[in-house]
Structures are given as C-alpha cells and as structure tokens.
Amino acid sequence: MTIKLSERVFEGTAHIKGDASGKLIASDLELSFWGGVSPKTSEIIDRHHPLSGQYLQGNILAIPGGRGSCTGSSVMLELLLIDKGPKAMIFERQEDILVLGVIVAEEIFGKTIPVVMLDPKDFREILQFNGSDIHISNSQVSVGPKTWLNEVQSLTKASDNVELSDIDRALLNGEFGDASRAAMNVVLRMAGMLGVSELMDITQVHVDGCVYTGPGCLLFAEKLRNRGGKVRVPTSLNSISIDMNRLQVQGANQEFAAAAGKLANAYTDMGARSTFTCAPYQLDSAPKFGDQVAWAESNAVVYANSVLGARTMKYPDFLDICIALTGRAPKGGPHVHINRMASLIINVEGIENAKIDDSFYPLLGYHVGALAPSEIPVIVGIKLLAPSKDDMKALGAAFATVSSAPMFHILGVTPEAVDLGTVVAKGSDLRSVSVHLSDLIGCWDELNSASKNQPVDLVSLGNPHFSLDEIQTLHSLCRGRKKNKNVAIVVTCGRLTYNSACTAGLLDELEEFGVQFVTDTCWCMITDPTIPRSKSAIMTNSGKYAHYGPGLTGKSFYFGNLARCVDAACGDTYVESRPQWLELGQ
C-alpha cells in the first residue's frame, strides 16, 4: 500500500519511550527552556524566537535541540509535574538537558512523555507539518492516521550496556544509601542515552539545580536529602533565587523566598558549599587544566572547557547533584579528547586598527554562537587583542546563550588552541566562515530592543557575576560623577567577591555613588521590586541578559559597554547609537 505524504511514518530513536498524540509546533531554531519558556504557563517567552507566544501544553514540540541554560531540565520537570508540559518532543540531534528533565520526572515522580530523535532529513521534513496532528509511539512519528510499522516496545530502563565498576555496583545496590542508588540510576540512564560504555571518576561538581523554578525542584532535592544523600566529591553551588543576606532589601515574595531558601538548604544539607555564584571559575577551588569535573550552568561549562582547559559536559540540572552523590559521570562528550576538536573555523577580520571596547566580546560570542548552534568553533584572528578573563567570560556567556556547544577555542588564546593542528582533527575538511565587524551590527540591533530615546530606570550589571577586576573598573568609571536619582544601578556578584571588594576599600565610594550590590542570586532570577514595574528600559553590558531579559521581565533593553552603562546611570535617557568601532566596520 502506498503511503501518502499526509500519512507519513518516520522512524527515529526513542530516548524516552511512550505514546502521544497532539498538534505539532515546530521550528528549525533551538530553544532554551530556562528564560525561553514559562515554567508556570508553558508559554514560549523568548522574544527572539519564532515560536514566541505559543504554548507547549497539549502540543508536540519539534526543535533541533535545546540551547542556553542547563536549568532547562528543571523547567521541564516543573511543567510535567503541573501537567503543562508538551505531550512529546522531537529533536534533530541528541539533546541532554531537556531529556534529563523527563528522566528525573519519570524516575522520581512517575511522570513521563515520549522523546524521539529523527535523522536530519526526516526532521526537516516533519517541519512541513507544523500545525498538523501527529502521533508518536516509541521510536515512530506518524502524520495522519495512526499507522505503526513495529510493535510497541517495552518501557525505558537504565542502560544495560555500560560496564560497571565495583563502586558502581555498590552504589546501585544501595550500599551508599537510597539517595545514591536513585542518583546512580539517573546517571546510568544518561550514560545509556549518550551511548557511552563506562563511567569515570570526577574531582568536583558545580550544581545549577539549586535555582528555584517551582515546587518540583524543591521536592526533588528534599527527596534526595531525606533519603540520606551526601555528596562524595567537593561540590559548589550556583546562584540561587534570593540574596540570603538581603531579603528585606531585595523585597522578595515571602512564600517564594522561603521555598528558595529551603532549596538552598537542602543542597547544603547534602554537603555542598554555599558558594552561590554563577561564576565558579572565580573561586579558589576552580579546576586546573585537564581536570575531569562535572559542572552545570551554561556559562560556567563553556568557561571551564574553553578558558581553563578543564573537562566537563554541559550537565543538566539534577544530573549535577546525581553525579555529586555518586562521584561518577558518563565518560563521553568533552571528557574525551577527540570530542573537544573544532568542527568550524571562524576567521575574524577587520579588527587590526579598530578601537574596540568591551562590548565587542559579548557581540562576537553571540554571533559565533548563532553560527555554531551545536558545533565547537575555533576563532582565529583576535589573539592580538589579548582578551582578559572578563572578556572571555562575556564572550562565553553570550556564546552559551544561543549555542548548545560546550566550548569554543580561540587560536593563540585558549590553552588547547596552540595552533590549528591541536584543535582540528587530522584530515578534517572544516567549514570556514569569515566574520567582519560589520557582521556584528545585526547582533547589536537585536540586543538593543528598546525604542529610540526610551527612558532608563535600571542599570543591570553582573550577568554572569561581576569579578573583583570589574568592580575596580566600575569604581574608576563612577569616581567624581553623580548618579541620577531616578536610575538605579545594581551589581550582582558572588559573596566572596563582595567580601574581597570590601577588603580592597572599593565599596564605600561605589555605594555613595548609588551602586547597590546583590549577592547569592543573579539577574535571571531577580524580579520586582529590584526590577521596577514601569515602561522604562533596562541598560546592561551583558549579552546574555539582553537576550533573556525581555522575556523574563517584560521590559525592553539597551545593550552597551560598561562605560555606557555608567553614562545611563548618570542620566535618565539613553540615546541608542552604535559604537564608533562598529560603525566604522561597515
């Protein structure tokens, strides 16, 4: 019997097995669930995404894969627990973060949805059926009547194809407690999905799952703690959803603050350190070159791999604590040398005589991330700029916002990119793309979403967390100037950085100028009253926040360098104009 186009059946790979039917909402652009999807309503709130304004609930989502934040797994869990998640998901390539959210929902809470990966040709074809009713049964996707080619398969189980060590067996048998046993099941299921044959020891973990996205993430953490969970390796904690030391100043909702505090306590009860920073590379405990670690938080993963030369996958929320409880991680991805090789060359041109400023780095990262949504790029041509650690932080955070790749290389700058031969597989025929300064204009215009001459009432700094060097630079820029009383300027940083700035004598003048400091939390979690409910815009030097901010806050944004941010704080309007180096690059 001939199958019509409207009655197609596609055979893929079932990452999570099951049956589902629903309307297809589809895009060929990756989507970050954290900052891109509301965990309460399922609305797609990434205002830069073509699916913006649509709802996942009751529908089947098809996207190439996720991107951006590791907290996407937490958003997925919250949606499933309140029955507002998609009925199923279809991907073009392996997707770790969102699938892990479903695995946790299934393993810990007994809730699940099917997840299927199609090959690129079939995925591109399924996009044509956007808005149509489709059906999924395990590995098969059907358009039109339910027509299945194979019998229904058994439910997903932990991988039987991973070689277990004695310690792995002991963990699985519950010899280290029930929490470690449950965590080991999650680690093994992820290893099976990744197709790796063994686990490995890691030296430290950075947990991103301490961000409060809703009651699901708290239930998960408390279940592990109440089952006796204790970390087996040194573990740091990402930014949380509140400033533990400034609750009154932050003005957080009491119920929300209590839940967020309980979540943080659940992780510290399990032995994690109360570091509360999204920039763990600023800590004394930062890993060294070649260290095998398990970090979550997208910007931190990219920085660890790229700038420090440590080795970590882009670990989803929840898998991070499971690895901390077991000390074991899948031996795959960037943990393995061959998987750290570049598959795209980015040649940056036209910077020799350009007087660039610090806005160049987030713009370049944002543009390169869009060019390499899933590939590891090697950037050539910026060695002469001698980018600082903070420049690399800004570049990496913007890159990680729009790319799912776990790292990048910069020739002559990052530790593995001594020459092209060290980061390009021998015999590879790599695609090469030239990037001129004028190519960054589109990024500038996209990140500047505010209308011309729109007033500014908040200057947002510290996404990712400000470093001590950045506080020193801000101190110099504010000296001798007067802040406009109608404009707030707020810096987020780690509590250890704040203490160092205090010791260095930097805070008195800055606070006299009007700078407010917030520790423990970060801008992606901050709401009103720190962010005013007004029609005025927010000014930031963060490419990451300029991207996520409109969806998270409902406000429009200006983006520019740190000096422009201080200028905006000293006035109540900001005339949006491109920097001279960018205009001259045309």
Side-chain angles (χ1 to χ4, degrees):
M1 182 180 74
T2 302
I3 298 178
K4 300 176 183 178
L5 181 63
S6 59
E7 299 176 355
R8 288 295 311 276
V9 176
F10 302 92
E11 181 70 37
T13 300
H15 287 319
I16 308 287
K17 297 172 184 174
D19 295 341
S21 298
K23 187 180 80 171
L24 180 68
I25 57 172
S27 172
D28 61 357
L29 182 63
E30 293 79 0
L31 174 67
S32 172
F33 269 45
W34 174 253
V37 177
S38 167
K40 295 181 179 179
T41 68
S42 87
E43 181 190 357
I44 297 173
I45 59 172
D46 182 342
R47 299 311 176 207
H48 304 280
H49 198 278
L51 296 179
S52 176
Q54 297 199 49
Y55 289 79
L56 300 182
Q57 183 180 11
N59 297 312
I60 294 176
L61 174 68
I63 51 175
R67 65 179 184 182
S69 177
C70 300
T71 308
S73 52
S74 184
V75 174
M76 173 59 69
L77 175 65
E78 299 296 343
L79 291 170
L80 294 179
L81 292 186
I82 61 172
D83 297 321
K84 289 187 179 291
K87 287 192 170 181
M89 293 186 293
I90 302 170
F91 299 120
E92 182 184 19
R93 59 176 184 269
Q94 183 175 293
E95 166 52 40
D96 304 341
I97 292 174
L98 299 179
V99 174
L100 193 280
V102 183
I103 288 174
V104 168
E106 187 176 69
E107 285 283 345
I108 307 297
F109 299 100
K111 292 212 169 191
T112 190
I113 58 171
V115 180
V116 180
M117 183 177 71
L118 296 178
D119 68 39
K121 179 177 177 296
D122 287 347
F123 179 83
R124 296 294 152 175
E125 190 170 340
I126 201 76
L127 294 179
Q128 300 175 35
F129 298 99
N130 190 19
S132 300
D133 290 328
I134 67 168
H135 318 282
I136 291 176
S137 181
N138 296 322
S139 60
Q140 294 177 350
V141 180
S142 170
V143 181
K146 292 184 179 180
T147 307
W148 308 124
L149 302 181
N150 298 325
E151 293 182 2
V152 174
Q153 303 170 36
S154 60
L155 291 175
T156 308
K157 294 182 179 179
S159 172
D160 294 325
N161 300 317
V162 179
E163 183 179 343
L164 300 179
S165 67
D166 289 342
I167 191 70
D168 297 334
R169 292 188 185 90
L171 287 160
L172 270 180
N173 291 334
E175 294 178 27
F176 291 87
D178 190 49
S180 294
R181 181 198 56 76
M184 191 64 179
N185 277 325
V186 174
V187 172
L188 277 175
R189 284 191 62 175
M190 180 56 70
M193 196 192 79
L194 294 171
V196 304
S197 59
E198 61 181 313
L199 304 182
M200 59 183 290
D201 289 331
I202 48 89
T203 60
Q204 65 169 265
V205 173
H206 181 68
V207 169
D208 187 46
C210 52
V211 175
Y212 184 77
T213 54
C217 64
L218 176 57
L219 274 172
F220 170 78
E222 289 187 333
K223 274 179 177 286
L224 291 179
R225 182 204 49 200
N226 295 344
R227 292 183 186 183
K230 292 292 181 183
V231 300
R232 300 188 68 243
V233 293
T235 301
S236 55
L237 291 177
N238 201 54
S239 305
I240 55 176
S241 302
I242 53 172
D243 183 339
M244 298 281 274
N245 297 319
R246 297 174 179 80
L247 286 177
Q248 298 302 320
V249 176
Q250 190 178 348
N253 174 279
Q254 288 187 357
E255 184 178 347
F256 175 86
K262 286 181 180 180
L263 180 62
N265 291 337
Y267 281 101
T268 55
D269 288 347
M270 287 188 279
R273 295 170 57 209
S274 54
T275 47
F276 302 144
T277 180
C278 57
Y281 39 84
Q282 296 174 356
L283 301 172
D284 292 340
S285 57
K288 305 294 189 295
F289 183 87
D291 285 355
Q292 298 282 12
V293 304
W295 276 18
E297 163 56 41
S298 59
N299 97 84
V301 169
V302 167
Y303 195 98
N305 279 321
S306 309
V307 184
L308 300 181
R311 299 189 169 199
T312 178
M313 291 191 203
K314 191 174 182 181
Y315 282 107
D317 287 16
F318 307 138
L319 184 58
D320 46 19
I321 187 61
C322 290
I323 292 174
L325 293 175
T326 61
R328 303 284 283 166
K331 190 176 182 180
H335 288 296
V336 180
H337 178 70
I338 190 63
N339 296 331
R340 300 173 68 83
M341 293 294 182
S343 55
L344 173 66
I345 298 175
I346 304 289
N347 291 300
V348 181
E349 302 173 348
I351 64 169
E352 292 79 8
N353 299 313
K355 295 181 179 179
I356 66 164
D357 58 43
D358 46 284
S359 66
F360 167 77
Y361 295 99
L363 289 175
L364 180 63
Y366 198 72
H367 186 63
V368 171
L371 293 174
S374 60
E375 298 174 277
I376 295 176
V378 54
I379 303 170
V380 180
I382 69 170
K383 177 183 177 181
L384 60 90
L385 298 177
S388 68
K389 291 179 180 179
D390 289 319
D391 294 331
M392 299 291 277
K393 177 185 72 169
L395 189 157
F399 172 83
T401 299
V402 291
S403 175
S404 64
M407 64 184 298
F408 58 83
H409 299 285
I410 300 179
L411 193 64
V413 177
T414 54
E416 294 170 65
V418 179
D419 53 52
L420 279 178
T422 61
V423 293
V424 173
K426 197 171 183 179
S428 298
D429 184 19
L430 266 64
R431 181 165 63 99
S432 181
V433 177
S434 293
V435 172
H436 195 272
L437 289 182
S438 60
D439 295 322
L440 305 183
I441 291 175
C443 298
W444 174 275
D445 292 344
E446 183 174 348
L447 295 176
N448 278 279
S449 58
S451 58
K452 190 174 182 180
N453 296 330
Q454 188 173 353
V456 172
D457 59 5
L458 173 64
V459 174
S460 156
L461 303 173
N463 189 341
H465 275 168
F466 244 34
S467 68
L468 182 61
D469 286 345
E470 287 175 305
I471 293 175
Q472 289 172 328
T473 302
L474 180 64
H475 181 267
S476 299
L477 289 169
C478 293
R479 176 169 284 174
R481 304 186 68 180
K482 186 175 182 180
K483 186 185 74 66
N484 186 292
K485 65 179 182 179
N486 297 319
V487 183
I489 178 169
V490 182
V491 173
T492 61
C493 63
R495 52 173 61 180
L496 294 178
T497 298
Y498 179 84
N499 291 339
S500 296
C502 185
T503 301
L506 298 170
L507 298 188
D508 287 346
E509 278 190 72
L510 283 171
E511 290 176 344
E512 185 178 346
F513 174 80
V515 176
Q516 302 172 54
F517 284 89
V518 174
T519 63
D520 296 352
T521 189
C522 194
W523 283 104
C524 289
M525 285 80 81
I526 292 175
T527 57
D528 63 304
T530 303
I531 297 176
R533 292 184 178 180
S534 71
K535 294 183 179 179
S536 296
I538 296 174
M539 175 74 193
T540 185
N541 67 339
S542 166
K544 177 178 180 177
Y545 196 44
H547 175 92
Y548 286 133
L552 290 170
T553 68
K555 295 169 73 76
S556 52
F557 274 67
Y558 289 119
F559 165 80
N561 67 8
L562 185 56
R564 284 191 176 210
C565 288
V566 175
D567 289 343
C570 294
D572 59 2
T573 59
Y574 174 74
V575 180
E576 189 249 320
S577 61
R578 299 172 186 147
Q580 188 176 28
W581 62 267
L582 193 54
E583 294 284 15
L584 292 175
Q586 296 188 82

